[in-house]
Amino acid sequence: MTAQRRLLVGIIQDSPRHLDAAALLEIARKQDPDIDRATVYRTLALLKNRGLIDELDLMHIEGEKHYYEAKTNRDHCHMACFRCGAIMEYASSSFEKLKAEMVKQSGFHIRVVRLEVGGFCKRCQKGVTS
Amino acid sequence: MTAQRRLLVGIIQDSPRHLDAAALLEIARKQDPDIDRATVYRTLALLKNRGLIDELDLMHIEGEKHYYEAKTNRDHCHMACFRCGAIMEYASSSFEKLKAEMVKQSGFHIRVVRLEVGGFCKRCQKGVTS
DNA sequence: ATAACTGCAAATCTTTTGCTTACAG
DNA sequence: CTGTAAGCAAAAGATTTGCAGTTAT
């Protein structure tokens, strides 16, 4: 793996928030001003195929871009608040059970799972009409 | 609701497969040749906001477009086969339980849920290296 | 009347590709 | 050497928007 790619991987791993391609590029340029958009996209595609990162939509809460995060040991759900935009994560054994059940009942071989929820977080619920 | 919108809703409800905006437009034009792309997108946005349809990505198995389906009584998961492109649906009480658990533990008010899985269907597994 | 809906064309945004040069194993 | 990676610029694909005319309440 090249230096640029290692840089990108490091940024994704270290970031406290989920980055999209543009944000990732911007951060990477602080350390390597010559890095190009295409390199970012090509690297993301590669990491995705190798299963090193997960791609998220976060309910398209902010346009159609994709967000990325380093693959964790445990799959988790992302809950996106339509009002404040907060992203919360949620992992539980029930999720694992559900996956196991799906595999067992359908014979499907799971490569990637994405569970996303849109709604209103606890704080934002007060005052929401629906 | 206008005639055009009723037409679009009807098409979505009747379609056996998940349609993207372009496919929906094409079908709609058979009955109303003057209908425009913009109307399709605007109607989809409206239906989505009202919770009448769900928007799917189907793991971006075929580009970045979105697919739509009429909201069903029961949330279900979509499993997309990376090899043959088949889309399978999966609903179970475990999924309902997981949702209930998420609500209880996080206080999040769920508006939309999307559970998508990418991998290989039973038939396509034979011969896949990974 | 007033507000919502439509077509049309142009714009926007994100992501991808072709091509040539530069590296890495 | 030989294959993979990178930069650049242009293209592609999906979706959105401004505006002017139309329809519905």
Side-chain angles (χ1 to χ4, degrees):
Chain A
M1 188 168 304
T2 67
Q4 288 193 327
R5 291 189 174 169
R6 273 191 302 272
L7 170 58
L8 293 172
V9 172
I11 293 171
I12 293 171
Q13 284 171 340
D14 294 348
S15 176
R17 65 191 171 102
H18 300 107
L19 302 172
D20 66 355
L24 177 56
L25 175 62
E26 197 187 346
I27 295 173
R29 280 199 163 142
K30 287 179 187 156
Q31 292 183 59
D32 179 351
D34 293 331
I35 196 166
D36 191 78
R37 221 176 346 177
T39 300
V40 170
Y41 281 107
R42 288 194 267 238
T43 302
L44 288 172
L46 182 139
L47 297 173
K48 196 169 36 157
N49 284 334
R50 294 203 185 155
L52 299 174
I53 57 173
D54 276 323
E55 185 179 61
L56 315 170
D57 293 303
L58 302 182
M59 295 315 272
H60 306 118
I61 226 170
E62 210 189 317
E64 300 307 307
K65 40 193 169 189
H66 297 132
Y67 299 87
Y68 301 88
E69 70 179 8
K71 190 87 137 193
T72 50
N73 342 344
R74 196 163 202 195
D75 285 324
H76 53 277
C77 160
H78 292 94
M79 300 189 281
C81 178
F82 288 145
R83 173 166 289 183
C84 70
I87 305 294
M88 273 153 282
E89 306 198 343
Y90 182 85
S92 89
S93 57
S94 302
F95 190 13
E96 298 302 320
K97 265 186 221 148
L98 174 58
K99 285 195 304 175
E101 187 189 291
M102 288 192 291
V103 170
K104 195 170 171 194
Q105 289 192 20
S106 67
F108 198 88
H109 172 65
I110 297 180
R111 260 278 179 91
V112 201
V113 185
R114 199 148 79 200
L115 173 51
E116 299 192 335
V117 171
F120 297 97
C121 72
K122 207 168 189 171
R123 265 193 304 169
C124 289
Q125 274 171 58
K126 294 147 194 159
V128 173
T129 322
S130 124
Chain B
M1 188 169 305
T2 68
Q4 288 194 326
R5 291 191 173 167
R6 274 192 301 272
L7 171 59
L8 294 172
V9 172
I11 293 171
I12 294 172
Q13 283 172 341
D14 295 348
S15 176
R17 66 191 170 102
H18 300 108
L19 303 171
D20 65 356
L24 178 55
L25 175 61
E26 197 186 348
I27 295 172
R29 279 198 163 143
K30 287 177 188 157
Q31 292 183 60
D32 178 352
D34 292 333
I35 196 167
D36 191 77
R37 220 176 346 177
T39 299
V40 170
Y41 281 107
R42 289 193 268 236
T43 301
L44 288 172
L46 181 140
L47 297 173
K48 197 170 35 158
N49 284 334
R50 294 204 185 154
L52 298 174
I53 58 174
D54 276 323
E55 185 180 60
L56 315 170
D57 294 303
L58 302 182
M59 295 315 273
H60 306 119
I61 226 171
E62 209 189 317
E64 300 306 308
K65 41 192 169 191
H66 298 132
Y67 300 87
Y68 301 89
E69 70 180 9
K71 189 86 134 194
T72 50
N73 344 342
R74 196 162 200 196
D75 284 324
H76 53 277
C77 160
H78 292 95
M79 300 188 281
C81 178
F82 288 145
R83 173 166 289 183
C84 71
I87 304 295
M88 273 154 283
E89 307 197 343
Y90 182 85
S92 89
S93 57
S94 303
F95 190 14
E96 297 302 321
K97 267 186 219 147
L98 174 58
K99 285 195 303 174
E101 186 188 292
M102 288 192 289
V103 170
K104 194 171 171 191
Q105 289 193 20
S106 66
F108 199 88
H109 172 64
I110 297 180
R111 258 278 180 92
V112 202
V113 185
R114 199 146 80 199
L115 172 51
E116 300 194 334
V117 172
F120 297 98
C121 71
K122 207 166 189 173
R123 266 193 306 169
C124 289
Q125 275 171 59
K126 294 145 194 160
V128 173
T129 321
S130 124

